[in-house]
Amino acid sequence: MKELYLVVGLGNPGKKYRDTKHNVGFDMINLLAEKLNVKVEKIKHQSLYGEITINGEKVILIKPQTYMNNSGISVRGFVDFYKIPIENIIVVYDDIDIPIGNIRIRKKGSAGSHNGMKSIIYHLKDDNFPRIRIGIGKPSGEKDLINHVLGAFSKEARELVDDSILRASKAIEEIMNTDLEKAMNIYNS
């Protein structure tokens, strides 16, 4: 039987949040969907989603529409409905502790300070799933965290993060075509 994978890009719905640092997960899903010629516009479990086959594996791409802090509700809905094994969930999201331009792939781990990941781990009752963190850097000076993550990138930073998003999409394809270890070896920066 073919494996089933769930690729989750975290972000917030609506024009107000488009192109913000907190929405790089959505940006990665959009790029991957464009590369693979799949539309992510069907609605299920409070998410926009699309389905594709990569290297014989069925892959569901989702963008939860619950707002970041409740992302786990959507993920849990897909996991329960499709009986997706925990290790076949790949979550892509922003990380302030990683410099802009870098990505990090991990097999499992805590949520750190990321509320979307806290919600997913809370709803799944498990953190043993791969994740790809896209660096957005720390706020400079006295700028508070909320304004930082909900703010737009400068032109220079946007170019760096777009390259990170491209590498994250390639890492997803590498995971599907070979495995997580190889993707980590190639793309961790």
Side-chain angles (χ1 to χ4, degrees):
M1 192 174 103
K2 280 196 257 188
E3 289 277 356
L4 177 59
Y5 287 85
L6 184 67
V7 179
V8 182
L10 296 186
N12 285 309
K15 287 182 182 170
K16 175 181 176 183
Y17 299 105
R18 188 177 297 141
D19 297 324
T20 64
K21 295 176 184 87
H22 224 18
N23 273 34
V24 296
F26 277 13
D27 294 343
M28 196 287 306
I29 292 288
N30 293 340
L31 178 65
L32 189 59
E34 186 180 314
K35 284 171 65 178
L36 299 173
N37 198 26
V38 61
K39 295 197 181 318
V40 179
E41 54 191 26
K42 294 188 249 178
I43 299 171
K44 187 183 273 189
H45 306 297
Q46 300 179 63
S47 287
L48 292 174
Y49 80 101
E51 299 176 25
I52 188 125
T53 300
I54 302 175
N55 198 34
E57 314 287 10
K58 183 175 177 183
V59 180
I60 301 170
L61 306 176
I62 75 166
K63 297 190 299 186
Q65 300 296 292
T66 54
Y67 290 94
M68 185 66 80
N69 294 357
N70 290 313
S71 299
I73 295 168
S74 296
V75 173
R76 182 67 198 229
F78 277 93
V79 168
D80 288 349
F81 185 83
Y82 290 101
K83 309 289 184 250
I84 299 169
I86 196 84
E87 65 275 6
N88 287 11
I89 302 165
I90 304 167
V91 182
V92 181
Y93 61 100
D94 60 288
D95 193 317
I96 61 166
D97 293 318
I98 297 173
I100 290 177
N102 291 347
I103 68 171
R104 294 236 176 86
I105 305 168
R106 294 283 181 266
K107 287 182 183 179
K108 60 182 182 173
S110 75
S113 62
H114 199 281
N115 289 332
M117 285 297 286
K118 285 178 184 174
S119 174
I120 292 170
I121 291 168
Y122 172 80
H123 284 278
L124 295 178
K125 307 281 185 260
D126 202 331
D127 66 0
N128 287 303
F129 55 87
R131 70 274 324 260
I132 300 175
R133 301 176 328 197
I134 297 174
I136 62 166
K138 286 195 187 309
S140 57
E142 295 299 308
K143 193 173 185 184
D144 74 290
L145 188 59
I146 292 169
N147 285 334
H148 177 70
V149 299
L150 296 179
F153 290 100
S154 68
K155 186 175 183 287
E156 298 78 22
R158 185 78 235 186
E159 289 173 7
L160 287 172
V161 88
D162 283 346
D163 181 62
S164 297
I165 290 166
L166 176 61
R167 283 184 287 118
S169 73
K170 288 178 178 178
I172 296 284
E173 291 179 284
E174 189 64 47
I175 292 167
M176 298 297 123
N177 291 324
T178 55
D179 61 34
L180 183 65
E181 288 290 336
K182 184 157 187 206
M184 289 170 68
N185 288 337
I186 295 170
Y187 293 102
N188 273 344
S189 52

